[in-house]
Amino acid sequence: MAIGQSMLRVDAHDKVTGTAKYTSDLEPRDYLVAKVVHSTIAFGEVKAFHLEEALAVPGVVKILTCFDVPDVPFPTPGHPWSVEKAHQDVADRKLLNRRVRFYGDDIAAIIAEDNVAADRAARLIRVEYEEFEPYVTVDQAMAPGARPVHDEKPNNVLVHSGFQVGEMTYDEAVAGEDDLVTVQRTYRTQTVQHCHIEPPTSFAYQEGDKITVISSTQIPHIVRRVIGQATGIPWGNIRVIKPYIGGGFGNKQDVLYEPLNAWLCTQVGGRAVKLDITREETFASTRVRHAIDFHVAGAVRRDGTIVARKCLANSNQGGYASHGHSIVANAINGFKQLYRDEKALECEANTVYTNIAVGGAMRGYGIPQSCFATECLAEDMAHAIGMDPLEFRLKNCMQAGYEDPHTHVQFRSYGLQDAIQKGRELIHWDELRAKYQNQTGPIRRGVGMAIFCYKTGVHPISLETASCRMVLHQDGSVQVQMGATEIGQGADTVFTQMASEVTGISVKKVHISSFQDTDTTPFDTGAYASRQTYVSGMAVKKTGALFKQKILEYAGYALRYPVENLDIRDDQIVDTVTGEALRSVADIAVEAFYSLDRSQHITAEATSHCKVNTFASGCCFAEVEVDIPLGKVKVLNIVNVHDSGTLINPQLAAAQVHGGMSMGLGYALSEQLLFDAKARPLNGNLLDYKLPTAMDTPDLQAAFVEVPDPTGPYGNKALGEPPAIPGAPAIRNAVLHATGVAIDSLPLDPQKLITAFTEAGLIDD
């Protein structure tokens, strides 16, 4: 059995010894260097460039501006393409942009012999702008008379949507009862950046009519399509290679600079061009997690029954659509799904163009923001009626068999309540809630919790499809080829285990490459939405069954044996009745390759078009110590419990949870990308942007409730993104328990806490 075993990662040796090849390790010979010139205003129009001094710099080959690029708007999000226009992404960006829509927008590019020349030239370019007053917040951008960030739209609302569950409105539900307790709050989440280790980087070169782009991307097949759309190059003339990747977390689920790099290559006769993005450019000019303001209300009976809730979510999109409304639409879906409302639920959402950095996909895809609002409201309702917040959640949380009334995604395997009870025991909830009541003094402790749910993949909102190919080698081993991308999460290891499980070929004889090549790799939409183990895993299982059958059919011929009596176990062809090993797969492979009577090269390929979905769920418990005069929160203990179905590799699963918990700590306590009144980033570097360090991190406890899901290829469902979701609200709720003060925005930084504690009378003026 390979499933359920904590086998060593297949890429562990390469990564530990430094032999893993990343994009920059694959540089072609004699390449040129490209440098993007970014706008120094946040909103306006480029009127003219003065390039004379820059072009005179030795080593500068060419300078291309927004006036030179094809006048072709294109979309950048890593979504599957749709043949239906209504389901296509917003095409509002060009290779270089005349209309400046955020500070750091791409307006020109320098091609030079080396970085020194490119940097010198960039400093010498002078740009004339017509500058407009920028919008930093959604309130500014939605104000009457606000100038549209995109002229083709009448205002700055990219999309508005909403829904209602139940036959009455929130106001009607509340008006119908006299003894309800109502809570009205605004919860705000902040802009953060992914901070993956490897910045976006790519090479592009041309051979004949084929342009090859080597890129650090999560979505190579989608990158190929978008390059074609942006440049007019036929898709078949584009080849994208994705090697090892130093993290992405959703930032590289956008097509960032690959189309520009491909086009720049064509402007210098096909010579190789490297386009490397600095850390500072990554902060300012790639993608960020959306800041979302949630205006919410909840009505609850004194027995703890939630009667009605409503939510208006306004999402700060920044200058371009990128993933657009799908983020906040997912957020209000999350608000809907986590709790049962007896009478009414109303949700609305606006995605609003502003002039800050562009919002895109980031681990959790709107659910970390949604969970903060949902779980703060749940906590505040429980607090308002004096009910234990854990019991409040058990009473009101979604139940087994839940089906979303709009998407019809079902909870097909349910472990949420068991996860809550398991977390309760691990954190010693009842003891600590009692112990930390009625505290006084400057140092206080508290314990809080949050629950979450997360659907696996994007069906039915978008297409879910994946392919796998298996090739039998002459030594009886199998080459597994996947379009699904390993981005550090351990996907290749899990696919190896799945392939071994379905074929009967031992793990040590399953080979997989972390490189994807769109010319040779089967199609897959890529790494996002916690989809690959679930969706791409279905393709592995389907292909493996076909592959195994082909081997057995050849073995039946070679052995003169009924195929129905044969199986593969531990690299041996065995009799299913007696268990006797008849011949090794290696022997059969050699004969299949070289038989003079029947030479057959055994391969299999299959596509899985996934038309099912399910929910993963779980919870986080946090114990904190709050230094009130310093406004400092120290996390003493934190526990995540996950309902993610069957664990394919328990050690990898725990590592995923630990990584997500670490991101949740930063989201809760310190991370925020700040902008001044001109929409310029103030802390777009790793010195000023406060990521948590090892010194800020307590021991991270990961626990699981394994309820096999009937739709997963091996009972598994989402785990990649869920660990990053519940930590921030759990910590916020622990601070509420410790101090009695509800903080309604992230991060919980000292300045914000001191202000709140002073207003609450815990600190003297």
Side-chain angles (χ1 to χ4, degrees), residues 161-237:
S161 68
F163 56 79
Q164 180 177 317
V165 180
E167 296 184 357
M168 62 178 68
T169 67
Y170 174 88
D171 290 339
E172 290 169 341
V174 171
E177 297 193 38
D178 295 329
D179 196 29
L180 290 179
V181 175
T182 59
V183 175
Q184 289 187 307
R185 303 294 271 267
T186 295
Y187 302 114
R188 303 181 191 275
T189 62
Q190 77 281 35
T191 301
V192 299
Q193 224 279 325
H194 309 72
C195 296
H196 35 74
I197 294 174
E198 179 194 28
T201 186
S202 62
F203 290 94
Y205 57 89
Q206 189 168 2
E207 296 173 317
D209 62 357
K210 175 80 72 172
I211 291 181
T212 297
V213 179
I214 305 170
S215 175
S216 177
T217 179
Q218 299 172 218
I219 48 169
H221 282 277
I222 292 174
V223 167
R224 175 170 67 172
R225 182 254 300 169
V226 176
I227 290 172
Q229 291 173 313
T231 63
I233 300 169
W235 300 2
N237 290 3

Side-chain angles (χ1 to χ4, degrees), residues 307-380:
V307 174
R309 292 178 302 149
K310 67 177 178 180
C311 172
L312 169 62
N314 290 328
S315 178
N316 192 326
Q317 180 56 45
Y320 292 94
S322 181
H323 284 247
H325 194 63
S326 56
I327 302 289
V328 74
N330 206 37
I332 59 173
N333 269 339
F335 188 87
K336 166 183 57 179
Q337 291 160 349
L338 204 48
Y339 290 99
R340 292 167 290 144
D341 302 277
E342 185 179 276
K343 291 186 176 180
L345 173 70
E346 290 181 75
C347 287
E348 291 181 83
N350 292 300
T351 295
V352 184
Y353 282 125
T354 66
N355 299 114
I356 69 166
V358 178
M362 186 174 173
R363 194 175 190 175
Y365 210 77
I367 302 302
Q369 300 97 308
S370 171
C371 187
F372 182 73
T374 307
E375 286 303 273
C376 287
L377 179 60
E379 191 79 11
D380 292 346

Side-chain angles (χ1 to χ4, degrees), residues 263-488:
W263 182 75
L264 292 175
C265 157
T266 67
Q267 303 305 296
V268 288
R271 186 172 170 185
V273 175
K274 181 180 184 181
L275 182 50
D276 209 356
I277 303 301
T278 67
R279 180 64 61 184
E280 289 75 16
E281 289 175 292
T282 303
F283 269 99
S285 303
T286 59
R287 305 292 182 270
V288 295
R289 176 180 280 164
H290 298 73
I292 304 179
D293 296 341
F294 296 88
H295 305 282
V296 305
V300 59
R301 296 195 189 104
R302 295 191 182 277
D303 69 355
T305 302
I306 297 176
V307 174
R309 292 178 302 149
K310 67 177 178 180
C311 172
L312 169 62
N314 290 328
S315 178
N316 192 326
Q317 180 56 45
Y320 292 94
S322 181
H323 284 247
H325 194 63
S326 56
I327 302 289
V328 74
N330 206 37
I332 59 173
N333 269 339
F335 188 87
K336 166 183 57 179
Q337 291 160 349
L338 204 48
Y339 290 99
R340 292 167 290 144
D341 302 277
E342 185 179 276
K343 291 186 176 180
L345 173 70
E346 290 181 75
C347 287
E348 291 181 83
N350 292 300
T351 295
V352 184
Y353 282 125
T354 66
N355 299 114
I356 69 166
V358 178
M362 186 174 173
R363 194 175 190 175
Y365 210 77
I367 302 302
Q369 300 97 308
S370 171
C371 187
F372 182 73
T374 307
E375 286 303 273
C376 287
L377 179 60
E379 191 79 11
D380 292 346
M381 287 193 293
H383 187 76
I385 62 174
M387 185 173 182
D388 180 281
L390 186 148
E391 298 298 339
F392 181 84
R393 288 175 170 85
L394 287 174
K395 181 180 179 69
N396 291 287
C397 69
M398 64 151 68
Q399 302 293 296
Y402 169 83
E403 179 177 323
D404 184 288
H406 303 112
T407 66
H408 301 292
V409 176
Q410 296 178 17
F411 228 131
R412 299 176 187 273
S413 61
Y414 183 81
L416 177 57
Q417 291 191 334
D418 286 345
I420 293 172
Q421 296 291 9
K422 191 167 190 174
R424 178 184 210 156
E425 296 168 7
L426 290 170
I427 202 75
H428 305 295
W429 173 267
D430 297 290
E431 299 94 315
L432 293 181
R433 292 290 294 190
K435 180 179 178 180
Y436 295 150
Q437 290 292 348
N438 304 316
Q439 296 175 82
T440 59
I443 310 294
R444 303 183 191 180
R445 291 186 173 186
V447 61
M449 67 171 296
I451 63 175
F452 75 91
C453 70
Y454 189 86
K455 67 180 176 63
T456 304
V458 299
H459 176 80
I461 305 302
S462 191
L463 172 69
E464 277 294 11
T465 184
S467 295
C468 173
R469 183 184 303 126
M470 295 186 184
V471 179
L472 185 66
H473 291 317
Q474 297 161 43
D475 62 354
S477 64
V478 56
Q479 186 70 42
V480 178
Q481 297 175 354
M482 301 289 295
T485 54
E486 169 67 64
I487 62 170

Side-chain angles (χ1 to χ4, degrees), residues 652-668:
L652 272 182
Q656 277 282 65
V657 174
H658 289 161
M661 292 172 77
S662 179
M663 293 187 82
L665 287 170
Y667 193 47

Side-chain angles (χ1 to χ4, degrees), residues 66-138:
C66 54
F67 300 109
D68 301 315
V69 297
D71 188 20
V72 178
F74 61 93
T76 65
H79 292 150
W81 187 238
S82 176
V83 294
E84 301 173 15
K85 189 171 180 58
H87 288 98
Q88 293 173 7
D89 292 304
V90 177
D92 65 353
R93 192 166 195 136
K94 297 176 184 176
L95 293 173
L96 298 167
N97 301 291
R98 300 184 192 185
R99 179 69 170 252
V100 171
R101 297 182 174 94
F102 68 95
Y103 184 92
D105 206 345
D106 309 327
I107 59 174
I110 300 162
I111 305 174
E113 295 287 349
D114 53 48
N115 283 313
V116 173
D119 290 341
R120 286 184 61 197
R123 290 193 294 269
L124 294 171
I125 291 177
R126 291 188 295 116
V127 187
E128 293 182 20
Y129 300 101
E130 179 184 0
E131 187 171 3
F132 311 141
E133 190 65 27
Y135 307 121
V136 176
T137 69
V138 294

